[in-house]
Amino acid sequence: GPDNVSGRVTDLAVPTPRGGTYTIYAATATGGVWRTRNEGTTWEPIFDREASVSIGDLALDHKDPNVLRVGTGEANIFRSSTAGCGIYKTEDGGQTWQHRGLAATHTIARIVVDPRDSNTLYVAAGGHEWTDNVERGVYKTTDGGESWRKVLFVNDRTGAVDLVINPENPDVLYAATWQRIRQHWNDPRVVDGYQENGLWKSLDGGETWARINDGLPEAKHRGRIGIDLCQAHPSTIYAFVDC
């Protein structure tokens, strides 16, 4: 693996089932996307010619392991983070790429593909690292990225930093929002007056959202939140809260 901070790996995508392929995709903070076809023995870069090599997330299609979406712009906002330029898609395992919008978001924390329909996707967009902007929140497309709608927006300083979908009922989604702007003199920790770090739930495919923060620390003590659900029991949700 990389031996410097900018080379950190931000995501992995592994096609399943494993019996028919030995391919793995790896996303890096400032080094693009890499592919191995022999389960890690050797790797090759497949994203070097695109507009940004800062990667936030990878998402494989549920039906075709050659279809991969890449969300550019690492969402961790370290000092060595750089801006992305939206969503890219490949249909041939990384040989060619097409841009699929959301360039102004700058950071993509998560891409979720509806298991029923590969053209329906949701994106958690963190927004600009250093400045306020309205291109934040959760976005949805039903035409494979030709057009996008913002379905969850809090304010121009609060982005979406994580997103999961219920595999048994894909109309149910959970999102984590993170209110933050990086200052030149500090890291984006919990700041006085910030109240929008929290969790949200949708029961209708992202059209409407409700806050689900009961039982979490008070808003003034909630920082960034990572979420996931139990695949065997998807009504069980785990939240990793930075206090």
Side-chain angles (χ1 to χ4, degrees):
D3 59 2
N4 62 73
V5 67
S6 297
R8 59 192 171 273
V9 172
T10 53
D11 199 18
L12 292 172
V14 183
T16 57
R18 295 301 290 157
T21 177
Y22 296 100
T23 299
I24 302 171
Y25 300 96
T28 61
T30 59
V33 181
W34 293 72
R35 178 184 63 201
T36 174
R37 290 174 169 170
N38 49 26
E39 293 200 324
T41 302
T42 59
W43 294 83
E44 56 184 330
I46 58 173
F47 204 73
D48 284 7
R49 297 183 180 275
E50 309 312 319
S52 174
V53 291
S54 175
I55 311 299
D57 195 48
L58 303 174
L60 281 165
D61 192 273
H62 297 284
K63 301 174 182 178
D64 187 345
N66 289 313
V67 177
L68 176 71
R69 271 93 174 186
V70 174
T72 61
E74 182 195 14
N76 293 315
I77 61 173
F78 293 124
R79 289 180 179 86
S80 52
S81 297
T82 57
C85 56
I87 301 289
Y88 283 80
K89 177 185 178 183
T90 179
E91 297 179 347
D92 52 19
Q95 301 302 314
T96 59
W97 297 92
Q98 307 90 41
H99 189 254
R100 285 293 180 263
L102 300 183
T105 60
H106 278 206
T107 53
I108 301 292
R110 192 73 66 216
I111 306 169
V112 170
V113 184
D114 190 318
R116 301 166 298 188
D117 176 16
S118 298
N119 285 318
T120 298
L121 298 94
Y122 304 87
V123 166
H128 294 191
E129 179 177 352
W130 301 95
T131 58
D132 296 350
N133 74 303
V134 297
E135 287 84 5
R136 303 175 182 270
V138 177
Y139 287 82
K140 179 180 181 179
T141 179
T142 56
D143 55 17
E146 294 296 327
S147 61
W148 294 89
R149 289 187 300 118
K150 192 189 307 180
V151 293
L152 175 61
F153 176 71
V154 179
N155 58 47
D156 60 4
R157 193 167 285 191
T158 303
V161 73
D162 211 349
L163 186 66
V164 292
I165 192 170
N166 186 323
E168 295 181 357
N169 182 3
D171 288 330
V172 177
L173 297 107
Y174 301 88
T177 55
W178 189 20
Q179 185 177 12
R180 91 290 184 274
I181 288 292
R182 187 177 183 86
Q183 306 293 343
H184 291 284
W185 57 86
N186 73 351
D187 289 328
R189 305 290 294 179
V190 178
V191 178
D192 290 342
Y194 281 23
Q195 301 291 317
E196 303 298 346
N197 300 334
L199 299 181
W200 300 75
K201 180 179 181 179
S202 174
L203 297 172
D204 54 11
E207 297 304 311
T208 60
W209 296 82
R211 298 178 188 266
I212 53 168
N213 295 315
D214 289 350
L216 295 180
E218 293 181 67
K220 63 182 180 179
H221 298 306
R222 291 197 298 264
R224 179 176 179 173
I225 304 175
I227 55 175
D228 205 354
L229 51 76
C230 176
Q231 293 294 318
H233 303 282
S235 61
T236 300
I237 310 299
Y238 298 93
F240 185 79
V241 183
D242 177 13
C243 296

